[in-house]
Structure formats: structure tokens, C-alpha cells
Amino acid sequence: MSNSYNDLVKTGTIGCMKADILLEAERDLFYIAHIRKDIVENRGIKDAEEAIRGTFQIVNELISQNYCSLATWGKVKGPFEMIRLSQEELLLRIAQYNNSDVNPFDIFLIATEKGKEWVSRYENLIKEL
């Protein structure tokens, strides 16, 4: 049985995925290709197009809500550089991860200040348990 993205939203799975992505993006970084892989291998969305759209939606929401920024490995100075892609470019990049010859480690999410604040609040709540 294959889940749809909307089914995963209703069950809270997408929200949990976003939290996990944000936690890791704040600690280090989170590769875009791994989101798509998780959707296919662990969340039951086997349809390639739906996995691409679902990955795009998660990434787009985290960026548009200012929890994460898109980055790539820097060429000049520093470990990475921030990038901006149009929605069409981002969707195209995500779709390329269907091909095994595409480098999955080229673009990733890192937490913004807002994202770091969310992680801090989350970690304080966990400590209360």
C-alpha cells in the first residue's frame, strides 16, 4: 500500500519529518536528496513524481517559513554558501536525484536564526519530560 503526501500530513508524519530535518539542519546540515530518499524508503510514497513533489513541498515550506536556508558547498571562502533557487529550479534539482549519476551532496538545508530559536525551545521542552 502506498501513502500519499496528504495522508502523511494528516497523520503528523510530515510535521515530524520537518522537525527532524530542522533539528539536524541546526546541528549540522540536511541534504535535500535524503528527504526524497526518506519519503520513498520510509514513508511509503513509491511514486517518483509524488516523492519529488513531496520533497519540494517540505523544503519549500521550511524555506518560506524562514526555518531553513538553502546552501551548497562554497567555492571561494567558508564551508558553504547560501543559494536561492526559483521554485522551478528547486523542483528540477530535486527531480534530478532520481538519477544515480547525480551528486546527492550538492544542496542542503541549514537552520536560520528562526530555526535555531525553534530548536532551542524544542530542546527545552524535551528536558521538561
Side-chain angles (χ1 to χ4, degrees):
M1 179 176 149
S2 178
N3 291 315
S4 75
Y5 185 86
N6 289 336
D7 291 338
L8 295 176
V9 169
K10 289 176 190 171
T11 63
T13 301
I14 296 300
C16 290
M17 285 181 69
K18 286 181 184 179
D20 290 343
I21 291 165
L22 184 51
L23 288 167
E24 185 59 27
E26 195 276 334
R27 290 182 192 111
D28 186 17
L29 54 85
F30 202 101
Y31 291 107
I32 303 298
H34 291 163
I35 298 169
R36 188 191 167 287
K37 182 177 180 179
D38 185 3
I39 285 175
V40 171
E41 294 181 1
N42 300 320
R43 311 303 172 170
I45 295 180
K46 302 300 180 191
D47 178 73
E49 288 302 313
E50 188 167 358
I52 291 166
R53 285 190 308 273
T55 303
F56 170 78
Q57 194 164 345
I58 291 171
V59 171
N60 193 46
E61 288 174 3
L62 286 168
I63 292 171
S64 66
Q65 294 171 344
N66 197 30
Y67 287 108
C68 290
S69 294
L70 202 57
T72 191
W73 295 110
K75 296 176 183 80
V76 180
K77 190 175 183 181
F80 58 83
E81 60 186 49
M82 309 304 269
I83 58 173
R84 290 194 184 272
L85 299 176
S86 69
Q87 290 192 344
E88 294 79 21
E89 291 170 319
L90 179 58
L91 194 56
L92 249 163
R93 295 292 294 267
I94 292 168
Q96 289 178 343
Y97 295 129
N98 272 341
N99 303 328
S100 60
D101 60 337
V102 173
N103 177 10
F105 307 113
D106 57 348
I107 60 173
F108 47 88
L109 294 170
I110 57 171
T112 61
E113 285 306 312
K114 180 180 177 182
K116 291 175 183 180
E117 290 169 8
W118 182 91
V119 168
S120 178
R121 288 192 311 271
Y122 173 86
E123 289 174 341
N124 285 334
L125 286 172
I126 294 299
K127 288 176 188 174
E128 290 180 19
L129 295 176

